[in-house]
Amino acid sequence: MHKLFLINCTPALVDAFIAQGYEVKSLFGQDGKMDVPAKLDALDFQPDMILQQESLGRRLFLNGLHKVDCIKIFWSVDTHMNMYWHEYYADIFDCVLTTQKKYVQALRNKCGAKVEWMPWMAIPSGAAVIGAGVAPHTRREHDLTFVGRITSHRRSRLWFVKFLNEHYKLNLEDNLNFNQMMEVYRKTRIVPNEALFGEINFRLFEGAACGCAVVTPDVGGGLDELFEIGHEIEVYSDVLELKEILDRLTKNPARSGALGMAAHVRVLRDHLPQSRASTICDIAKTISRRDMSEEHERLQLCVSEFLLGEGGGIAINWDGLLKQLLDLPQSEKRDAALLRIFAKSGLKDFFMKIVYPYLEKKSVSTDCYFNMSASLSALKLGLWEVAKHFWYSYKAQGRVEDVAKPVDDVNLLKLWGDALFKNGKAIRSGVAFDEIEGIPSCASDCFFAALHRLPSDKEIYRKLDVVFNGVKGGEPSRLGFLSHLSLHYPEDWRISAEVAVTSLRVFRLNEGLKELENARIIARRTGQERFFKRKIKSEIPVFSKLVNQKEV
């Protein structure tokens, strides 16, 4: 393997491949659609490997990969935000890399490409990353720095920054370019990190590269394989743990300095672009080229574009996409996309042409997503009997006597929400659902649509609580459901305790402590205090330790 065609790869990674002796052709800043064979002909280049890195600001679809005789790799950078369409797009490659280890198995379950974990990296910026000029913490200007966008759409981050501002001397920065950001980090002792969806993010590598003491959420997913916890980074699970760590580090520059220097050394050893380039090429040598038909590639590309467009990720030429979909042979994937497009556009006649073979049982699907899409698309068009048909068609796989009979739109939405949750389609991270105009794609969408129609239904709040329980990044939403339930069940200490625990996980320190005390009082009054203490010891160990110290 010698010739590499690199598409939208970070320049530092491109330089690393070149430095390792590879012949490289590189294109950066590409978006839209690229005819790869035509581009290679124009470049007069026949690569041994094509690597496309996901570009967060630009969406690029590669066409014609099935014609290219080389290894094709896609690096999914924001898998935690884009899994809903990456699982289709990745399937046109021989291998997909993901920055998030926790998504490796999910991708393997969804696509035929080889899937490997490839964490993000520290991008060189100045002397601090190439091994010289790391300032000791006693000479750094800022105690704590957070660089990130603060908006009302990111409630957890708003509460995170509010907590830091109230308890520490926080240097808050936004609208910095990369070099400016790294310069600020080089003047900072501690970088408190926050993850929107439980991901291992760029900030971890950026802070560590500059010798900062990074305090990051305990998200799992291989974090302890990237940095040694307690020696190179510190981790927290809630605001009490975060406060305990930050209190220690702000009072002890020697400790924060030792942590930051150890992380910096680890970056130099394992997390620079040179390391990633070597690992990618090692992986490429183990990959066999997949045989793929033009038809399969076209289908996966159309579905990827449809899902990204439906989720609001890019502007779509819907007429062009419709033509491409209609030119494809009939399949569940194609028909689900068409039905959703026609329903959203109010095109009832076109919808019925696609749905007719299924109504006549000339075509049959057992797929949960397809049947849900057909049913709820029909519901949007006011076709109640068709909507029910696809519910019954899906449930016909089981015992007929156990099939619930939909009585109205809210009931149908709740039934599909339950089915999707059971089928593993709980939420779509990275997509904001429109309860009024949207057609649900997952369990949470169904329950949100049902709640919009019947906001007094307490059962829906309970179902949403179940869906979001344990979902990293879903805590602000879950807090809303729990708070509503606590108003209706004020004597249930378990709900109050869940409100408290969730509040502490989204940095609402005072609110969380107040609610913990309320839950304790209720539990004591009902003879349940021992169960309350057991729960808190398990989920909020720092609080449990503080309480025990006071009681002693």
Side-chain angles (χ1 to χ4, degrees):
M1 183 170 296
H2 181 66
K3 296 183 176 182
L4 312 181
F5 184 35
L6 307 180
I7 303 171
N8 283 349
C9 290
T10 301
L13 184 62
V14 175
D15 293 341
F17 281 116
I18 293 171
Q20 292 178 19
Y22 294 100
E23 182 181 347
V24 171
K25 294 288 186 182
S26 173
L27 296 176
F28 190 71
Q30 305 294 302
D31 59 8
K33 298 178 181 180
M34 178 189 293
D35 183 330
V36 176
K39 182 64 69 175
L40 290 173
D41 286 345
L43 293 170
D44 192 22
F45 192 64
Q46 298 300 317
D48 301 306
M49 180 183 82
I50 294 174
L51 172 64
Q52 181 190 4
Q53 177 187 309
E54 179 191 5
S55 175
L56 307 187
R58 298 174 180 272
R59 296 302 179 198
L60 173 68
F61 294 99
L62 302 186
N63 290 266
L65 287 181
H66 68 284
K67 299 177 183 177
V68 182
D69 187 13
C70 73
I71 298 300
K72 282 86 70 174
I73 300 176
F74 176 62
W75 192 2
S76 171
V77 176
D78 260 7
T79 319
H80 56 289
M81 295 282 283
N82 296 303
M83 177 68 184
Y84 69 98
W85 68 273
H86 279 188
E87 64 184 73
Y88 296 97
Y89 185 64
D91 197 43
I92 68 173
F93 293 82
D94 302 309
C95 176
V96 56
L97 309 173
T98 172
T99 58
Q100 308 301 318
K101 187 177 183 181
K102 63 182 70 175
Y103 283 89
V104 167
Q105 191 57 52
L107 281 165
R108 286 174 179 166
N109 293 340
K110 294 293 186 179
C111 74
K114 183 175 183 178
V115 183
E116 298 289 347
W117 181 35
M118 186 59 54
W120 191 240
M121 56 197 161
I123 307 298
S125 174
V129 177
I130 55 177
V134 180
H137 279 209
T138 52
R139 297 212 309 264
R140 296 198 176 197
E141 180 180 343
H142 308 295
D143 281 347
L144 282 78
T145 289
F146 182 79
V147 181
R149 186 172 302 162
I150 313 299
T151 72
S152 59
H153 300 296
R154 297 174 173 178
R155 288 176 291 165
S156 185
R157 181 171 291 181
L158 278 172
W159 296 328
F160 175 70
V161 169
K162 181 174 183 290
F163 162 75
L164 294 175
N165 268 322
E166 288 176 351
H167 293 86
Y168 307 97
K169 187 178 178 181
L170 176 68
N171 175 45
L172 180 62
E173 299 280 1
D174 191 8
N175 295 319
L176 301 180
N177 64 36
F178 181 76
N179 289 329
Q180 289 171 334
M181 176 186 69
M182 296 297 274
E183 182 62 29
V184 170
Y185 281 150
R186 285 193 282 271
K187 298 176 181 178
T188 297
R189 290 174 51 212
I190 304 164
V191 172
N193 192 13
E194 177 255 3
L196 291 176
F197 290 102
E199 75 280 4
I200 294 174
N201 58 24
F202 290 11
R203 198 176 292 109
L204 170 66
F205 294 98
E206 292 158 355
C210 296
C212 303
V214 181
V215 185
T216 195
D218 188 4
V219 298
L223 178 62
D224 58 349
E225 299 176 55
L226 300 174
F227 293 94
E228 183 180 345
I229 295 170
H231 177 63
E232 296 168 343
I233 60 171
E234 293 280 10
V235 300
Y236 67 90
S237 296
D238 57 67
V239 69
L240 290 173
E241 290 185 358
L242 175 61
K243 187 174 188 304
E244 184 184 55
I245 294 166
L246 293 179
D247 285 350
R248 282 192 281 110
L249 293 179
T250 52
K251 295 171 184 174
N252 190 345
R255 171 60 185 151
S256 66
L259 200 70
M261 183 52 67
H264 173 71
V265 171
R266 183 65 179 270
V267 164
L268 296 180
R269 190 184 80 197
D270 292 337
H271 300 314
L272 290 180
Q274 295 93 311
S275 175
R276 298 295 182 265
S278 296
T279 305
I280 290 170
C281 286
D282 287 344
I283 290 172
K285 292 170 186 174
T286 70
I287 298 170
S288 299
R289 181 172 176 253
R290 298 169 64 206
D291 290 328
M292 185 174 301
S293 68
E294 178 182 4
E295 181 183 294
H296 179 79
E297 180 183 293
R298 286 168 52 212
L299 175 62
Q300 299 301 93
L301 283 167
C302 283
V303 172
S304 302
E305 187 177 359
F306 161 71
L307 290 170
L308 191 54
E310 184 186 49
I314 55 172
I316 293 289
N317 176 354
W318 289 105
D319 289 341
L321 180 59
L322 267 176
K323 184 178 185 305
Q324 292 179 63
L325 284 166
L326 290 167
D327 284 343
L328 288 167
Q330 185 272 335
S331 69
E332 289 177 353
K333 290 181 183 178
R334 183 204 78 146
D335 290 352
L338 286 170
L339 292 174
R340 295 173 73 89
I341 292 171
F342 290 145
K344 190 76 180 289
S345 304
L347 300 172
K348 189 179 295 187
D349 291 342
F350 288 98
F351 175 89
M352 290 304 299
K353 286 181 181 179
I354 300 299
V355 93
Y356 183 77
Y358 296 94
L359 298 178
E360 293 295 307
K361 298 187 178 180
K362 295 176 182 178
S363 297
V364 178
S365 172
T366 60
D367 181 70
C368 184
Y369 176 79
F370 170 81
N371 282 287
M372 177 276 303
S373 292
S375 176
L376 298 186
S377 294
L379 182 66
K380 183 170 182 61
L381 290 170
L383 302 170
W384 177 242
E385 294 302 319
V386 177
K388 288 193 298 181
H389 170 89
F390 283 98
W391 167 252
Y392 290 129
S393 177
Y394 175 67
K395 296 302 290 184
Q397 305 166 58
R399 295 169 57 184
V400 176
E401 61 270 23
D402 293 337
V403 176
K405 297 181 179 180
V407 295
D408 56 27
D409 56 348
V410 171
N411 183 224
L412 181 63
L413 285 163
K414 289 162 67 174
L415 290 171
W416 275 120
D418 290 339
L420 288 163
F421 183 71
K422 185 177 180 179
N423 205 251
K425 302 181 186 300
I427 65 170
R428 278 200 306 172
S429 298
V431 179
F433 178 63
D434 184 341
E435 300 96 330
I436 302 173
E437 297 296 331
I439 299 169
S441 292
C442 59
S444 63
D445 291 353
C446 289
F447 294 138
F448 280 129
L451 190 64
H452 175 76
R453 289 164 168 80
L454 190 61
S456 62
D457 189 333
K458 294 188 287 294
E459 183 190 31
I460 301 175
Y461 284 96
R462 288 194 177 276
K463 289 178 180 293
L464 282 165
D465 176 47
V466 171
V467 167
F468 281 89
N469 187 10
V471 175
K472 299 288 187 181
E475 295 91 350
S477 295
R478 185 172 184 237
L479 184 59
F481 313 142
L482 287 167
S483 297
H484 182 87
L485 289 170
S486 70
L487 295 175
H488 290 278
Y489 305 99
E491 290 302 307
D492 190 333
W493 71 265
R494 292 174 183 82
I495 294 177
S496 187
E498 287 294 335
V499 171
V501 170
T502 306
S503 293
L504 292 175
R505 286 178 178 161
V506 293
F507 314 105
R508 291 166 63 86
L509 177 61
N510 295 331
E511 295 87 345
L513 292 177
K514 181 180 178 181
E515 198 63 45
L516 272 179
E517 178 61 15
N518 182 54
R520 186 188 66 80
I521 291 170
I522 298 170
R524 175 179 291 177
R525 188 165 62 235
T526 57
Q528 301 283 307
E529 189 171 16
R530 68 185 185 280
F531 299 111
F532 167 80
K533 288 183 176 180
R534 186 183 302 167
K535 176 180 177 63
I536 299 308
K537 183 178 181 180
S538 170
E539 299 190 32
I540 310 290
V542 172
F543 179 79
S544 181
K545 184 171 66 174
L546 291 173
V547 169
N548 290 336
Q549 288 173 351
K550 289 180 181 179
E551 290 179 349
V552 171

